[in-house]
Amino acid sequence: MRLIFLGPPGAGKGTQAKLLTERYGIPQLSTGDMLRAAVAQATEVGKRAKAVMDAGQLVSDEIVNEIVSDRIDQSDCAKGFILDGYPRTVPQAIALGKMLEGKGLKLDAVIELKVDEAALVKRMENRVAETIAAGGTVRSDDNPEAFKRRLTEYREKTAPLSEHYAGTGQLRTVDGMADVNTVTAEIEKILA
Ligand code: AP5
């Protein structure tokens, strides 16, 4: 099973990807998590990505295309994977199509979580509060200014992917405003 989750920041992509990972035994490939790990380890990619991420902007297509291609080649992706936060631009989607074709792989579905933008700031604030309560480190882009920029980047660069995947006949849409379990059930219906 090879899936893409689409949706704005806070739509629930990571939450649903984690749940499906357990259900289907395939890994969640979150480009955000991979980039944050690179920043934490101060790798070359991490050094290039840090300021861009902190500002809520998108990292270059070249960087993310390369890290995803390398990740898909790892043995735990043999049975499939869930792409969370990638692709995020039309050029990334085109690169992914070529990448998968080159590896002899096909996508099974592209699932878009539809949400009201007004609810997303609240979700981000909840995540910050939960992280602090758990003694964790708050994401450097989970603040009002960077979040606003992330939403703008989404509208300008990522939202056009809905049309792109509608055109390929792979797009499925789920109401991401429902509670977490209902969203999961709707996704499982699509995948059944
Ligand atoms: P990334 O880490 O991908 O962040 P994001 O897309 O902004 O998404 P989030 O993690 O904020 O949201 P989510 O949809 O996963 O929601 P979640 O499940 O956590 O990217 C970060 C940065 O990395 C980017 O800005 C960019 O700089 C860079 N980057 C990453 N990929 C890139 C790419 N491909 N190209 C270029 N740059 C890239 O849920 C959010 C909160 O809501 C949680 O608290 C959760 O508990 C709650 N919640 C979830 N579902 C529900 C529900 N149904 N009801 C109520 N609450 C819910």
Side-chain angles (χ1 to χ4, degrees):
M1 173 97 58
R2 293 178 205 94
L3 300 179
I4 292 176
F5 272 121
L6 291 181
K13 305 180 295 292
T15 301
Q16 295 300 328
K18 278 186 188 73
L19 292 167
L20 291 189
T21 284
E22 289 161 24
R23 169 94 165 70
Y24 293 98
I26 53 176
Q28 168 197 14
L29 308 190
S30 158
T31 40
D33 286 349
M34 292 183 223
L35 290 166
R36 280 185 286 277
V39 170
Q41 290 156 21
T43 64
E44 272 314 305
V45 163
K47 284 180 202 158
R48 282 159 66 194
K50 187 179 184 325
V52 179
M53 291 176 76
D54 286 354
Q57 293 172 294
L58 293 186
V59 173
S60 78
D61 291 341
E62 290 71 24
I63 289 182
V64 289
N65 290 339
E66 193 177 329
I67 61 174
V68 170
S69 180
D70 290 348
R71 184 67 186 84
I72 287 175
D73 289 338
Q74 291 177 22
S75 59
D76 62 331
C77 292
K79 276 177 26 191
F81 46 80
I82 303 165
L83 288 167
D84 160 15
Y86 177 91
R88 228 166 168 115
T89 63
V90 172
Q92 286 180 24
I94 293 169
L96 174 67
K98 289 187 186 148
M99 188 193 299
L100 293 178
E101 198 183 337
K103 296 176 195 292
L105 303 173
K106 280 208 165 76
L107 275 179
D108 293 291
V110 178
I111 298 177
E112 180 178 27
L113 299 175
K114 281 267 187 201
V115 282
D116 300 335
E117 239 183 54
L120 298 179
V121 175
K122 187 75 201 147
R123 284 195 187 178
M124 183 270 292
E125 287 168 356
N126 287 347
R127 177 162 64 190
V128 169
E130 284 164 12
T131 304
I132 291 170
T137 307
V138 173
R139 270 171 56 167
S140 54
D141 60 352
D142 265 354
N143 58 71
E145 200 184 326
F147 197 76
K148 201 171 148 201
R149 187 61 201 248
R150 285 159 61 195
L151 285 173
T152 305
E153 290 279 85
Y154 172 80
R155 272 186 234 114
E156 291 176 0
K157 298 177 183 165
T158 311
L161 287 182
S162 307
E163 202 179 320
H164 175 84
Y165 284 115
T168 65
Q170 291 163 306
L171 186 72
R172 301 288 177 271
T173 302
V174 169
D175 175 13
M177 294 307 294
D179 65 74
V180 171
N181 291 337
T182 305
V183 176
T184 309
E186 287 303 312
I187 293 169
E188 288 185 339
K189 267 193 226 164
I190 290 172
L191 301 179

